[in-house]
Amino acid sequence: MNDDYLRCSRDPRAYFVEIKKYSHNLGGKTFEVEHTNWAEQANGSVLVRLGDTLVLATAVMSPHTREGADYFPLSVEYEEKFYAAGKILGSRFIKRETRPSEEAVLVGRLIDRSIRPRFDMRMRNEVQVVITVLSIDDQNDPDVPSLLAASLALALSDIPWQGPIAGVRVAKKDNEELILNPIYKERMETKLDVIISGTKERINMMEAGAKEISETDFAKAAEWGFKLLQELVDFQNTIINENRPEKKEAKLLPTPSELKELIKKEFSAKIEKAVYQKDKKTARADQSAAKEEWMKRAEETYPDLFQKSSAELIFDEEINDIVHRRIIAKGERPDGRKTDELRELQAQVSILPRVHGSAIFMRGETHALSSLTLGAPGDEQIIEGMEIRTKRNFLHHYNFPPFSTGEVKPMRGPGRREIGHGALAGKALLPLLPTKEEFPYTIRIVSEILSSNGSSSMASVSGASLALMDAGVPLKKPAAGAAMGLMLNEKGEYKILTDIQGPEDRHGDMDFKVAGTKDGITAVQMDVKIEGINLTMLQDALTQARGTRIKILDFMQGILAEPRPELSPWAPRVMILKINPEKIGALIGPGGKVINDIIAQTETQIDIEDDGTVFITSVTEEGMKKALSLVKQVTRE
């Protein structure tokens, strides 16, 4: 019998696919890796499985550099596939995947923020990492397997990359037990849910939501997760050493030593003077003038070595060196503040006449305008995706128009950054909101960034808290937050910075956002531009963030100490009525005739739940009374 036939009959995939299998048990769960040639045209690809959740990661690098680019062109795409859930999803008219869901965007950002710091930023070849979810069970979230898959796809490819990295999810229960990579049900019952990623030595990304957890408990959870993360890095190194991929030599943007010497000799003092100014507009204008003069001088002096992108990179590196040197050695920040000093705070509430709650919060040159709208229970958002199918009655949206940074750009709706920042601020507020039984409204907050100079997402947390209280929403406690920065040199000396802005954000080594109340943390997001931070740096940043947060909350209390006792006169009122569930059919009527007739007569909105709860929402007292009377007539026992 033909050997090829025998080979195919034993394993249907073996004839077509080259497979190398690896597995590692971590905390009682097994990560399975298959190095295959399924996507053999890609530079690197790998399959990772956890339970019945299976993801395919591919990595591709273009052979040519992007000419004139002033940044490293990396893109990370996380692809949700409805078939992965075994369901036909989508609207009535469109039954295929279209634009990514908010959840897909957030996972894509999470992977991007983990792998990006391990690339040489002087690369100009386009690199694209695509993670496709092929199968998903109802227990294991694809995000942690996707991080592992993205790292291995890059590490096993010929693309230059300083990996591997790995990530784990850590949850903390009310009984203080820590859980590694919890299933969906376990995550709903925890007071901390954090994803941590990093290398064998450092943490380089964190994303967390919590129910007022202490800084000490958060640091302990991070330390516990980091030790387990290191096991996944060792597992990857075993696979990499066995396969030993040969890496290409990427063409890096040159930074000639002659140009470096020229900028230090003739322009360093001028650049330093331009950077170290309190006013952002003046600083930006002076830096622009210094840069223009530098570009002209560099081209005239070394015409054979001059490249526009290279000269711009050298200019940015000089600012980086100046800021690091002065802050680490003397604690001198560009705007004159101390390392733990906040910018000036201002705020005002009830500033928009017809909205249900509004506030503007200003921290230095970062200004966030938050507007709140209350809607009926039926106005909640229906989420129907591959991973999540639920309803949301709290929405926080964040907008970052180009005028907020004095720029002219096309406006094409919210981008990935806006979705990410909006979700972070929403996560910070969610555990502080009343339950649906206590407050049956749908709540939507929109934070418009009118002026930005760092930490705009954290300004949104403060603005949204004030808007909630201004609207009369019974918020348990107000929340606030600020971004902590880091300046680290080659000797290991560092400074943690409070409330970073401008050059500290662009040329610093970390953006560590911490939000919460006086009693604990409710949200964390951390990104770095270096390999990562150690546990000592993490603890220092958390301690400094707490003191900053309390100062902001004390200020906010002076603006509005507690939620207003009454809702805005422009807000709708909701009345809750309980009826016999057997009467629901009579209230709805054939084809919805009865309920629609009541709605039309009374100009109200009526929502009915399966347990017989009826919500009547009206903006007028007359309409409410009439609707209540008609509902009682139809459902009378």
Side-chain angles (χ1 to χ4, degrees), residues 170-195:
V170 176
K172 187 179 182 69
K173 299 183 76 171
D174 289 334
N175 64 3
E176 304 303 313
E177 178 190 357
L178 291 171
I179 307 171
L180 179 68
N181 296 328
I183 62 176
Y184 286 113
K185 185 179 179 182
E186 290 172 324
R187 287 166 57 185
M188 300 300 292
E189 301 165 353
T190 59
K191 65 178 183 180
L192 171 67
D193 183 11
V194 57
I195 288 188

PDB file of all heavy atoms in Angstrom, residues 170-195:
ATOM      1  N   VAL A 170      -4.352  37.592  36.462  1.00  0.00           N
ATOM      2  CA  VAL A 170      -4.441  37.284  37.894  1.00  0.00           C
ATOM      3  C   VAL A 170      -5.728  37.892  38.438  1.00  0.00           C
ATOM      4  O   VAL A 170      -6.017  39.070  38.201  1.00  0.00           O
ATOM      5  CB  VAL A 170      -3.227  37.834  38.673  1.00  0.00           C
ATOM      6  CG1 VAL A 170      -3.385  37.578  40.169  1.00  0.00           C
ATOM      7  CG2 VAL A 170      -1.936  37.195  38.169  1.00  0.00           C
ATOM      8  N   ALA A 171      -6.480  37.085  39.170  1.00  0.00           N
ATOM      9  CA  ALA A 171      -7.692  37.576  39.832  1.00  0.00           C
ATOM     10  C   ALA A 171      -7.560  37.356  41.326  1.00  0.00           C
ATOM     11  O   ALA A 171      -6.894  36.418  41.776  1.00  0.00           O
ATOM     12  CB  ALA A 171      -8.923  36.850  39.297  1.00  0.00           C
ATOM     13  N   LYS A 172      -8.185  38.229  42.089  1.00  0.00           N
ATOM     14  CA  LYS A 172      -8.166  38.114  43.551  1.00  0.00           C
ATOM     15  C   LYS A 172      -9.597  38.058  44.060  1.00  0.00           C
ATOM     16  O   LYS A 172     -10.400  38.954  43.781  1.00  0.00           O
ATOM     17  CB  LYS A 172      -7.438  39.318  44.162  1.00  0.00           C
ATOM     18  CG  LYS A 172      -7.207  39.215  45.668  1.00  0.00           C
ATOM     19  CD  LYS A 172      -6.460  40.456  46.157  1.00  0.00           C
ATOM     20  CE  LYS A 172      -6.168  40.390  47.641  1.00  0.00           C
ATOM     21  NZ  LYS A 172      -5.183  39.360  47.987  1.00  0.00           N
ATOM     22  N   LYS A 173      -9.913  37.022  44.791  1.00  0.00           N
ATOM     23  CA  LYS A 173     -11.264  36.853  45.317  1.00  0.00           C
ATOM     24  C   LYS A 173     -11.417  37.607  46.635  1.00  0.00           C
ATOM     25  O   LYS A 173     -10.436  38.030  47.254  1.00  0.00           O
ATOM     26  CB  LYS A 173     -11.561  35.363  45.514  1.00  0.00           C
ATOM     27  CG  LYS A 173     -11.491  34.549  44.213  1.00  0.00           C
ATOM     28  CD  LYS A 173     -11.870  33.109  44.435  1.00  0.00           C
ATOM     29  CE  LYS A 173     -13.368  32.940  44.580  1.00  0.00           C
ATOM     30  NZ  LYS A 173     -13.777  31.507  44.583  1.00  0.00           N
ATOM     31  N   ASP A 174     -12.654  37.727  47.083  1.00  0.00           N
ATOM     32  CA  ASP A 174     -12.917  38.432  48.336  1.00  0.00           C
ATOM     33  C   ASP A 174     -12.268  37.738  49.525  1.00  0.00           C
ATOM     34  O   ASP A 174     -11.978  38.369  50.545  1.00  0.00           O
ATOM     35  CB  ASP A 174     -14.428  38.545  48.565  1.00  0.00           C
ATOM     36  CG  ASP A 174     -15.063  39.532  47.588  1.00  0.00           C
ATOM     37  OD1 ASP A 174     -14.342  40.435  47.129  1.00  0.00           O
ATOM     38  OD2 ASP A 174     -16.255  39.393  47.287  1.00  0.00           O
ATOM     39  N   ASN A 175     -12.048  36.432  49.417  1.00  0.00           N
ATOM     40  CA  ASN A 175     -11.400  35.700  50.510  1.00  0.00           C
ATOM     41  C   ASN A 175      -9.875  35.763  50.415  1.00  0.00           C
ATOM     42  O   ASN A 175      -9.171  34.989  51.069  1.00  0.00           O
ATOM     43  CB  ASN A 175     -11.867  34.250  50.531  1.00  0.00           C
ATOM     44  CG  ASN A 175     -11.456  33.495  49.258  1.00  0.00           C
ATOM     45  OD1 ASN A 175     -10.767  34.042  48.391  1.00  0.00           O
ATOM     46  ND2 ASN A 175     -11.892  32.259  49.151  1.00  0.00           N
ATOM     47  N   GLU A 176      -9.363  36.681  49.574  1.00  0.00           N
ATOM     48  CA  GLU A 176      -7.933  36.955  49.412  1.00  0.00           C
ATOM     49  C   GLU A 176      -7.199  35.912  48.579  1.00  0.00           C
ATOM     50  O   GLU A 176      -5.993  36.013  48.382  1.00  0.00           O
ATOM     51  CB  GLU A 176      -7.229  37.094  50.781  1.00  0.00           C
ATOM     52  CG  GLU A 176      -7.833  38.157  51.689  1.00  0.00           C
ATOM     53  CD  GLU A 176      -7.857  39.540  51.045  1.00  0.00           C
ATOM     54  OE1 GLU A 176      -6.836  39.950  50.483  1.00  0.00           O
ATOM     55  OE2 GLU A 176      -8.913  40.200  51.084  1.00  0.00           O
ATOM     56  N   GLU A 177      -7.908  34.887  48.079  1.00  0.00           N
ATOM     57  CA  GLU A 177      -7.250  33.878  47.244  1.00  0.00           C
ATOM     58  C   GLU A 177      -6.911  34.465  45.884  1.00  0.00           C
ATOM     59  O   GLU A 177      -7.714  35.191  45.281  1.00  0.00           O
ATOM     60  CB  GLU A 177      -8.188  32.676  47.070  1.00  0.00           C
ATOM     61  CG  GLU A 177      -7.621  31.591  46.174  1.00  0.00           C
ATOM     62  CD  GLU A 177      -8.651  30.532  45.817  1.00  0.00           C
ATOM     63  OE1 GLU A 177      -9.803  30.629  46.321  1.00  0.00           O
ATOM     64  OE2 GLU A 177      -8.334  29.625  45.034  1.00  0.00           O
ATOM     65  N   LEU A 178      -5.708  34.171  45.380  1.00  0.00           N
ATOM     66  CA  LEU A 178      -5.289  34.598  44.053  1.00  0.00           C
ATOM     67  C   LEU A 178      -5.534  33.466  43.065  1.00  0.00           C
ATOM     68  O   LEU A 178      -5.254  32.297  43.350  1.00  0.00           O
ATOM     69  CB  LEU A 178      -3.813  34.988  44.047  1.00  0.00           C
ATOM     70  CG  LEU A 178      -3.450  36.264  44.819  1.00  0.00           C
ATOM     71  CD1 LEU A 178      -1.943  36.420  44.915  1.00  0.00           C
ATOM     72  CD2 LEU A 178      -4.063  37.485  44.158  1.00  0.00           C
ATOM     73  N   ILE A 179      -6.067  33.815  41.894  1.00  0.00           N
ATOM     74  CA  ILE A 179      -6.390  32.821  40.868  1.00  0.00           C
ATOM     75  C   ILE A 179      -5.619  33.160  39.609  1.00  0.00           C
ATOM     76  O   ILE A 179      -5.621  34.317  39.160  1.00  0.00           O
ATOM     77  CB  ILE A 179      -7.910  32.804  40.556  1.00  0.00           C
ATOM     78  CG1 ILE A 179      -8.723  32.636  41.836  1.00  0.00           C
ATOM     79  CG2 ILE A 179      -8.247  31.694  39.565  1.00  0.00           C
ATOM     80  CD1 ILE A 179     -10.211  32.835  41.625  1.00  0.00           C
ATOM     81  N   LEU A 180      -4.985  32.163  39.003  1.00  0.00           N
ATOM     82  CA  LEU A 180      -4.245  32.350  37.762  1.00  0.00           C
ATOM     83  C   LEU A 180      -5.140  32.037  36.570  1.00  0.00           C
ATOM     84  O   LEU A 180      -5.781  30.984  36.534  1.00  0.00           O
ATOM     85  CB  LEU A 180      -3.016  31.440  37.739  1.00  0.00           C
ATOM     86  CG  LEU A 180      -2.157  31.504  36.470  1.00  0.00           C
ATOM     87  CD1 LEU A 180      -1.468  32.858  36.349  1.00  0.00           C
ATOM     88  CD2 LEU A 180      -1.141  30.375  36.456  1.00  0.00           C
ATOM     89  N   ASN A 181      -5.168  32.945  35.602  1.00  0.00           N
ATOM     90  CA  ASN A 181      -5.959  32.772  34.377  1.00  0.00           C
ATOM     91  C   ASN A 181      -7.361  32.244  34.677  1.00  0.00           C
ATOM     92  O   ASN A 181      -7.759  31.157  34.237  1.00  0.00           O
ATOM     93  CB  ASN A 181      -5.237  31.829  33.412  1.00  0.00           C
ATOM     94  CG  ASN A 181      -3.921  32.400  32.932  1.00  0.00           C
ATOM     95  OD1 ASN A 181      -3.772  33.603  32.787  1.00  0.00           O
ATOM     96  ND2 ASN A 181      -2.949  31.539  32.680  1.00  0.00           N
ATOM     97  N   PRO A 182      -8.146  33.006  35.455  1.00  0.00           N
ATOM     98  CA  PRO A 182      -9.487  32.545  35.844  1.00  0.00           C
ATOM     99  C   PRO A 182     -10.412  32.419  34.642  1.00  0.00           C
ATOM    100  O   PRO A 182     -10.242  33.113  33.638  1.00  0.00           O
ATOM    101  CB  PRO A 182      -9.970  33.654  36.783  1.00  0.00           C
ATOM    102  CG  PRO A 182      -9.233  34.883  36.316  1.00  0.00           C
ATOM    103  CD  PRO A 182      -7.889  34.381  35.902  1.00  0.00           C
ATOM    104  N   ILE A 183     -11.395  31.526  34.750  1.00  0.00           N
ATOM    105  CA  ILE A 183     -12.411  31.415  33.704  1.00  0.00           C
ATOM    106  C   ILE A 183     -13.384  32.581  33.851  1.00  0.00           C
ATOM    107  O   ILE A 183     -13.359  33.320  34.837  1.00  0.00           O
ATOM    108  CB  ILE A 183     -13.146  30.058  33.779  1.00  0.00           C
ATOM    109  CG1 ILE A 183     -13.888  29.916  35.120  1.00  0.00           C
ATOM    110  CG2 ILE A 183     -12.152  28.909  33.582  1.00  0.00           C
ATOM    111  CD1 ILE A 183     -14.722  28.657  35.230  1.00  0.00           C
ATOM    112  N   TYR A 184     -14.265  32.748  32.856  1.00  0.00           N
ATOM    113  CA  TYR A 184     -15.167  33.908  32.842  1.00  0.00           C
ATOM    114  C   TYR A 184     -15.988  34.022  34.128  1.00  0.00           C
ATOM    115  O   TYR A 184     -16.119  35.105  34.702  1.00  0.00           O
ATOM    116  CB  TYR A 184     -16.119  33.807  31.645  1.00  0.00           C
ATOM    117  CG  TYR A 184     -15.476  34.107  30.318  1.00  0.00           C
ATOM    118  CD1 TYR A 184     -15.324  33.104  29.361  1.00  0.00           C
ATOM    119  CD2 TYR A 184     -15.017  35.380  30.012  1.00  0.00           C
ATOM    120  CE1 TYR A 184     -14.740  33.371  28.136  1.00  0.00           C
ATOM    121  CE2 TYR A 184     -14.433  35.653  28.791  1.00  0.00           C
ATOM    122  CZ  TYR A 184     -14.298  34.640  27.855  1.00  0.00           C
ATOM    123  OH  TYR A 184     -13.704  34.913  26.652  1.00  0.00           O
ATOM    124  N   LYS A 185     -16.536  32.913  34.603  1.00  0.00           N
ATOM    125  CA  LYS A 185     -17.395  32.946  35.779  1.00  0.00           C
ATOM    126  C   LYS A 185     -16.625  33.412  37.002  1.00  0.00           C
ATOM    127  O   LYS A 185     -17.122  34.195  37.818  1.00  0.00           O
ATOM    128  CB  LYS A 185     -17.999  31.565  36.025  1.00  0.00           C
ATOM    129  CG  LYS A 185     -19.000  31.535  37.171  1.00  0.00           C
ATOM    130  CD  LYS A 185     -19.595  30.142  37.356  1.00  0.00           C
ATOM    131  CE  LYS A 185     -20.580  30.124  38.523  1.00  0.00           C
ATOM    132  NZ  LYS A 185     -21.136  28.768  38.739  1.00  0.00           N
ATOM    133  N   GLU A 186     -15.378  32.948  37.154  1.00  0.00           N
ATOM    134  CA  GLU A 186     -14.554  33.347  38.298  1.00  0.00           C
ATOM    135  C   GLU A 186     -14.238  34.829  38.263  1.00  0.00           C
ATOM    136  O   GLU A 186     -14.176  35.489  39.304  1.00  0.00           O
ATOM    137  CB  GLU A 186     -13.256  32.540  38.305  1.00  0.00           C
ATOM    138  CG  GLU A 186     -13.445  31.063  38.643  1.00  0.00           C
ATOM    139  CD  GLU A 186     -12.171  30.260  38.464  1.00  0.00           C
ATOM    140  OE1 GLU A 186     -11.401  30.561  37.529  1.00  0.00           O
ATOM    141  OE2 GLU A 186     -11.953  29.313  39.243  1.00  0.00           O
ATOM    142  N   ARG A 187     -14.047  35.383  37.074  1.00  0.00           N
ATOM    143  CA  ARG A 187     -13.715  36.808  36.951  1.00  0.00           C
ATOM    144  C   ARG A 187     -14.845  37.704  37.409  1.00  0.00           C
ATOM    145  O   ARG A 187     -14.617  38.820  37.881  1.00  0.00           O
ATOM    146  CB  ARG A 187     -13.334  37.136  35.507  1.00  0.00           C
ATOM    147  CG  ARG A 187     -11.973  36.608  35.109  1.00  0.00           C
ATOM    148  CD  ARG A 187     -11.775  36.638  33.616  1.00  0.00           C
ATOM    149  NE  ARG A 187     -11.935  37.963  33.052  1.00  0.00           N
ATOM    150  CZ  ARG A 187     -11.898  38.219  31.752  1.00  0.00           C
ATOM    151  NH1 ARG A 187     -11.712  37.248  30.884  1.00  0.00           N
ATOM    152  NH2 ARG A 187     -12.050  39.457  31.313  1.00  0.00           N
ATOM    153  N   MET A 188     -16.082  37.247  37.276  1.00  0.00           N
ATOM    154  CA  MET A 188     -17.233  38.055  37.675  1.00  0.00           C
ATOM    155  C   MET A 188     -17.331  38.187  39.195  1.00  0.00           C
ATOM    156  O   MET A 188     -18.034  39.055  39.695  1.00  0.00           O
ATOM    157  CB  MET A 188     -18.519  37.435  37.129  1.00  0.00           C
ATOM    158  CG  MET A 188     -18.559  37.318  35.610  1.00  0.00           C
ATOM    159  SD  MET A 188     -18.430  38.915  34.775  1.00  0.00           S
ATOM    160  CE  MET A 188     -20.001  39.635  35.245  1.00  0.00           C
ATOM    161  N   GLU A 189     -16.651  37.313  39.927  1.00  0.00           N
ATOM    162  CA  GLU A 189     -16.796  37.268  41.378  1.00  0.00           C
ATOM    163  C   GLU A 189     -15.532  37.729  42.103  1.00  0.00           C
ATOM    164  O   GLU A 189     -15.304  37.368  43.248  1.00  0.00           O
ATOM    165  CB  GLU A 189     -17.144  35.829  41.802  1.00  0.00           C
ATOM    166  CG  GLU A 189     -18.427  35.306  41.159  1.00  0.00           C
ATOM    167  CD  GLU A 189     -18.564  33.801  41.295  1.00  0.00           C
ATOM    168  OE1 GLU A 189     -17.595  33.164  41.764  1.00  0.00           O
ATOM    169  OE2 GLU A 189     -19.633  33.275  40.938  1.00  0.00           O
ATOM    170  N   THR A 190     -14.678  38.494  41.419  1.00  0.00           N
ATOM    171  CA  THR A 190     -13.407  38.895  42.026  1.00  0.00           C
ATOM    172  C   THR A 190     -13.360  40.397  42.298  1.00  0.00           C
ATOM    173  O   THR A 190     -14.125  41.169  41.718  1.00  0.00           O
ATOM    174  CB  THR A 190     -12.232  38.523  41.103  1.00  0.00           C
ATOM    175  OG1 THR A 190     -12.404  39.172  39.836  1.00  0.00           O
ATOM    176  CG2 THR A 190     -12.158  37.026  40.891  1.00  0.00           C
ATOM    177  N   LYS A 191     -12.426  40.798  43.162  1.00  0.00           N
ATOM    178  CA  LYS A 191     -12.247  42.230  43.433  1.00  0.00           C
ATOM    179  C   LYS A 191     -11.025  42.797  42.711  1.00  0.00           C
ATOM    180  O   LYS A 191     -10.741  43.977  42.823  1.00  0.00           O
ATOM    181  CB  LYS A 191     -12.162  42.493  44.928  1.00  0.00           C
ATOM    182  CG  LYS A 191     -10.963  41.896  45.658  1.00  0.00           C
ATOM    183  CD  LYS A 191     -11.015  42.308  47.118  1.00  0.00           C
ATOM    184  CE  LYS A 191      -9.805  41.817  47.898  1.00  0.00           C
ATOM    185  NZ  LYS A 191      -9.862  42.207  49.312  1.00  0.00           N
ATOM    186  N   LEU A 192     -10.306  41.941  41.986  1.00  0.00           N
ATOM    187  CA  LEU A 192      -9.192  42.389  41.146  1.00  0.00           C
ATOM    188  C   LEU A 192      -9.104  41.488  39.933  1.00  0.00           C
ATOM    189  O   LEU A 192      -9.179  40.264  40.050  1.00  0.00           O
ATOM    190  CB  LEU A 192      -7.864  42.345  41.909  1.00  0.00           C
ATOM    191  CG  LEU A 192      -6.599  42.576  41.060  1.00  0.00           C
ATOM    192  CD1 LEU A 192      -6.566  44.008  40.521  1.00  0.00           C
ATOM    193  CD2 LEU A 192      -5.327  42.278  41.841  1.00  0.00           C
ATOM    194  N   ASP A 193      -8.939  42.101  38.772  1.00  0.00           N
ATOM    195  CA  ASP A 193      -8.745  41.370  37.519  1.00  0.00           C
ATOM    196  C   ASP A 193      -7.659  42.113  36.743  1.00  0.00           C
ATOM    197  O   ASP A 193      -7.894  43.215  36.250  1.00  0.00           O
ATOM    198  CB  ASP A 193     -10.056  41.323  36.723  1.00  0.00           C
ATOM    199  CG  ASP A 193      -9.936  40.516  35.443  1.00  0.00           C
ATOM    200  OD1 ASP A 193      -8.916  39.816  35.267  1.00  0.00           O
ATOM    201  OD2 ASP A 193     -10.858  40.592  34.609  1.00  0.00           O
ATOM    202  N   VAL A 194      -6.453  41.527  36.674  1.00  0.00           N
ATOM    203  CA  VAL A 194      -5.328  42.231  36.066  1.00  0.00           C
ATOM    204  C   VAL A 194      -4.585  41.319  35.115  1.00  0.00           C
ATOM    205  O   VAL A 194      -4.373  40.141  35.403  1.00  0.00           O
ATOM    206  CB  VAL A 194      -4.367  42.798  37.147  1.00  0.00           C
ATOM    207  CG1 VAL A 194      -3.860  41.704  38.075  1.00  0.00           C
ATOM    208  CG2 VAL A 194      -3.177  43.516  36.508  1.00  0.00           C
ATOM    209  N   ILE A 195      -4.212  41.859  33.950  1.00  0.00           N
ATOM    210  CA  ILE A 195      -3.318  41.169  33.028  1.00  0.00           C
ATOM    211  C   ILE A 195      -1.944  41.809  33.148  1.00  0.00           C
ATOM    212  O   ILE A 195      -1.812  43.038  33.116  1.00  0.00           O
ATOM    213  CB  ILE A 195      -3.824  41.251  31.581  1.00  0.00           C
ATOM    214  CG1 ILE A 195      -5.046  40.364  31.406  1.00  0.00           C
ATOM    215  CG2 ILE A 195      -2.751  40.809  30.601  1.00  0.00           C
ATOM    216  CD1 ILE A 195      -5.507  40.222  29.965  1.00  0.00           C
TER     217      ILE A 195
END
